[in-house]
Amino acid sequence: MSKDTLTIIDNRTGKQYEVPIEYETIKAMDLRKIKVSDDDFGIMSYDPAFMNTASCKSRVTFIDGDKGILRYRGYPIEQLAEQSTYLEVAYLILHGELPTPSQLQDWTWHITHHTFIHEQIKKFMEGFHYNAHPMGMLIATVGALSTFYPEAKNIFDEESRRKQIYRLIAKIPTVAAFAYRHSVGQPYNYPDNDLTYTGNFLNMMFKMTEVKYQPNPTLERALDVLFILHADHEQNCSTNAMRSIGSSHVDPYSAVAGAAAALYGPLHGGANEAVLRMLAEIESKDNVPAYIKRVKSGEVRLMGFGHRVYKNYDPRAKIIKQVAHEVFEVTGKNPVIDIALELERIALEDDYFVSRKLYPNVDFYSGIIYQAMGFPVDMFPVLFAIPRTSGWLAQWEEMLLDSEQKIARPRQIYLGYDERDYESMEQRQEKEAKTATASD
Ligand code: ACO
């Protein structure tokens, strides 16, 4: 008869242990009982970079990396991208269900009416150097928001949590657009509550002298689809940072600032920026084979390719490729798309990429669209952070309300010195003098 347990024999002692298997997983803490002696600490599992460790139980996002499946709360990403809106998806991710018409109306009203930022925050942003990276400005400013809302520390008060969630989702596009306007030396545009979430963001980014900004509906919708695709992605690097920082019970502004910092890195949300820089370096389709050679020799990475979880085509990249063509009909073709398509064509035929299951990820095409829409490369990670805020907050709230969670605190395997006595400065000086004479 089959049993949902794992039998482990410790060959050091000959003892046998039975460990329960639940959800195809064993609890690392069950290994602790495996000891050589009573005063032994017990066995730990070693898993740098969390390659095979589940850090939580979650009901938010499902990914099957081998099959290229992504679902939010059970709904396939393809259906959401086609039929939903970013704000509806944000509601779904946070609440677990799609909203009813009145719930959506209420949700949209709250988000729309929290878009303004305090004038002192505007002044805070004015302090940045003229060429400050907008992602650095976003990280710092979101962190600074915590000083404006001290009640946000009441993380176990549901009403307060709701309010901070409205504020964060509403204000992050404002902070993002102000960061951009600051970097190009243009006056800030205040939010326009008549517009949609993405329409208003485009207004704050690009409005010049016109009395009322009218977003192009194709671009507004394309941005909304991109925001849907970026809303959540289960336990990625920045979400893990959000949960880990949040597990100390800090306020959500500080935790989102930390998560955004994790997203900034080129191996994560900074990859779309890196893709564009790579495409600019390649310059033309003819140089693609030579670049692929450099990738295969290990000299450079093919940015926007590969994923820790997807070992198949990233479903988001498929949708984005389609959106690119719709955007180009309005903006004209971004010439770097030809280099990207050629890179993808060659890479997908090459054994180096095939054998390692390296496929384009979400970042491979998103930057090309953003660039065509007029966003500078520096803004790409910021454009990722805006929609991911809803995912971070959903995961943060799930973590807070999970009775199995505690402050995140991994173990280590200590390989440093054993105990040794402190050496006085004289002793160290003497030692240094001896080494210097020995090497003369
Ligand atoms: N170009 C060339 N080779 C690659 C690439 C790449 N983009 N990605 C992985 N490889 C190779 C590695 O060199 C390694 O080869 P080896 O087995 O011969 O040593 C093998 O594929 C496995 O790679 P790992 O680095 O072990 O894979 P890991 O899961 O740790 O990394 C990551 C995933 C970070 C995304 C990686 O694929 C990468 O650096 N990609 C480029 C950056 C990028 O596009 N990041 C965006 C990710 S999506 C997101 O954050 C939204």
Side-chain angles (χ1 to χ4, degrees):
M1 206 181 93
S2 77
K3 264 168 100 184
D4 282 338
T5 59
L6 179 75
T7 301
I8 301 172
I9 299 170
D10 185 346
N11 292 321
R12 298 169 304 173
T13 58
K15 276 196 205 158
Q16 188 169 309
Y17 301 84
E18 200 164 324
V19 175
I21 300 174
E22 201 187 6
Y23 309 112
E24 309 265 315
T25 307
I26 60 160
K27 287 192 176 140
M29 277 306 283
D30 283 342
L31 301 177
R32 275 283 183 86
K33 61 185 178 197
I34 306 175
K35 297 179 176 196
V36 178
S37 58
D38 281 348
D39 59 355
D40 183 2
F41 182 77
I43 290 230
M44 294 190 299
S45 61
Y46 174 58
D47 190 10
F50 303 115
M51 298 288 287
N52 195 37
T53 293
S55 63
C56 62
K57 292 176 182 163
S58 182
R59 292 181 165 78
V60 183
T61 293
F62 173 78
I63 301 176
D64 183 327
D66 292 326
K67 296 197 183 115
I69 292 174
L70 169 61
R71 297 181 199 133
Y72 298 153
R73 301 282 187 182
Y75 295 103
I77 192 68
E78 294 79 4
Q79 290 182 23
L80 293 170
E82 203 180 314
Q83 299 174 54
S84 189
T85 62
Y86 170 68
L87 273 195
E88 187 179 70
V89 165
Y91 182 98
L92 168 72
I93 287 177
L94 276 146
H95 298 83
E97 295 298 335
L98 283 167
T100 62
S102 66
Q103 284 169 335
L104 183 60
Q105 200 181 8
D106 185 61
W107 170 247
T108 308
W109 190 91
H110 279 293
I111 302 292
T112 310
H113 288 82
H114 281 97
T115 46
F116 275 71
I117 54 174
H118 198 289
E119 285 293 298
Q120 293 299 337
I121 277 285
K122 201 179 86 180
K123 286 195 186 147
F124 172 85
M125 296 188 77
E126 277 162 9
F128 285 106
H129 203 45
Y130 73 94
N131 61 355
H133 194 290
M135 193 64 175
M137 287 193 252
L138 182 92
I139 294 165
T141 310
V142 171
L145 282 177
S146 83
T147 65
F148 286 76
Y149 307 112
E151 77 277 15
K153 287 189 170 72
N154 303 325
I155 51 168
F156 290 108
D157 174 345
E158 195 183 344
E159 205 181 308
S160 165
R161 252 192 345 258
R162 252 345 71 201
K163 192 128 189 214
Q164 314 320 321
I165 288 172
Y166 293 143
R167 283 179 175 146
L168 270 158
I169 295 177
K171 291 183 199 310
I172 202 146
T174 314
V175 173
F178 280 25
Y180 165 70
R181 300 287 290 200
H182 178 85
S183 66
V184 288
Q186 289 173 357
Y188 303 137
N189 287 323
Y190 285 93
D192 180 343
N193 289 356
D194 295 340
L195 298 175
T196 63
Y197 190 76
T198 42
N200 173 48
F201 177 56
L202 290 170
N203 156 67
M204 292 188 290
M205 284 287 301
F206 299 123
K207 181 170 176 287
M208 295 306 290
T209 53
E210 61 270 45
V211 177
K212 181 128 185 117
Y213 180 83
Q214 301 289 354
N216 176 292
T218 306
L219 302 188
E220 185 183 4
R221 174 64 191 155
L223 193 58
D224 207 53
V225 172
L226 285 158
F227 280 7
I228 293 172
L229 301 182
H230 286 87
D232 193 51
H233 212 230
E234 53 120 300
Q235 306 313 312
N236 55 83
C237 175
S238 58
T239 302
N240 181 56
M242 180 78 193
R243 280 181 174 261
S244 185
I245 298 169
S247 77
S248 74
H249 293 176
V250 73
D251 70 87
Y253 300 96
S254 304
V256 168
L263 185 72
Y264 192 8
L267 297 189
H268 190 13
N272 51 14
E273 186 177 344
V275 169
L276 261 283
R277 297 198 196 285
M278 173 186 78
L279 295 176
E281 188 190 334
I282 296 174
E283 248 185 314
S284 95
K285 249 170 89 169
D286 300 342
N287 298 332
V288 167
Y291 197 83
I292 294 274
K293 231 182 187 174
R294 287 175 66 201
V295 172
K296 286 164 67 175
S297 71
E299 192 188 327
V300 285
R301 280 209 161 188
L302 187 51
M303 298 315 285
F305 255 69
H307 199 275
R308 171 61 59 79
V309 178
Y310 291 122
K311 300 300 169 196
N312 198 323
Y313 213 99
D314 182 337
R316 301 169 298 173
K318 256 187 217 161
I319 301 167
I320 285 187
K321 227 170 136 177
Q322 239 174 314
V323 172
H325 294 295
E326 289 159 25
V327 168
F328 295 162
E329 282 192 13
V330 178
T331 61
K333 197 165 102 174
N334 183 343
V336 294
I337 187 81
D338 291 332
I339 305 174
L341 288 168
E342 183 68 358
L343 268 174
E344 180 185 333
R345 189 187 67 76
I346 297 189
L348 294 185
E349 282 174 359
D350 193 302
D351 187 55
Y352 175 93
F353 299 91
V354 175
S355 63
R356 289 170 178 79
K357 298 187 176 165
L358 299 171
Y359 292 88
N361 60 48
V362 68
D363 289 322
F364 194 62
Y365 289 107
S366 63
I368 300 173
I369 303 179
Y370 291 144
Q371 194 177 50
M373 288 171 82
F375 290 104
V377 174
D378 278 0
M379 277 298 283
F380 295 177
V382 172
L383 289 162
F384 195 154
I386 296 171
R388 184 54 61 87
T389 300
S390 59
W392 289 330
L393 290 167
Q395 302 269 351
W396 166 74
E397 196 167 42
E398 188 177 60
M399 177 274 303
L400 286 179
L401 303 180
D402 181 347
S403 60
E404 289 184 8
Q405 290 292 344
K406 283 169 178 274
I407 187 165
R409 195 346 182 148
R411 291 276 171 183
Q412 65 169 6
I413 300 172
Y414 178 70
L415 299 176
Y417 285 107
D418 210 344
E419 186 179 337
R420 52 186 181 153
D421 289 326
Y422 180 79
E423 287 172 342
S424 67
M425 189 54 85
E426 291 73 32
Q427 284 171 313
R428 278 173 273 159
Q429 244 168 358
E430 224 170 86
K431 232 178 173 174
E432 190 187 30
K434 266 190 205 155
T435 341
T437 338
S439 62
D440 276 348

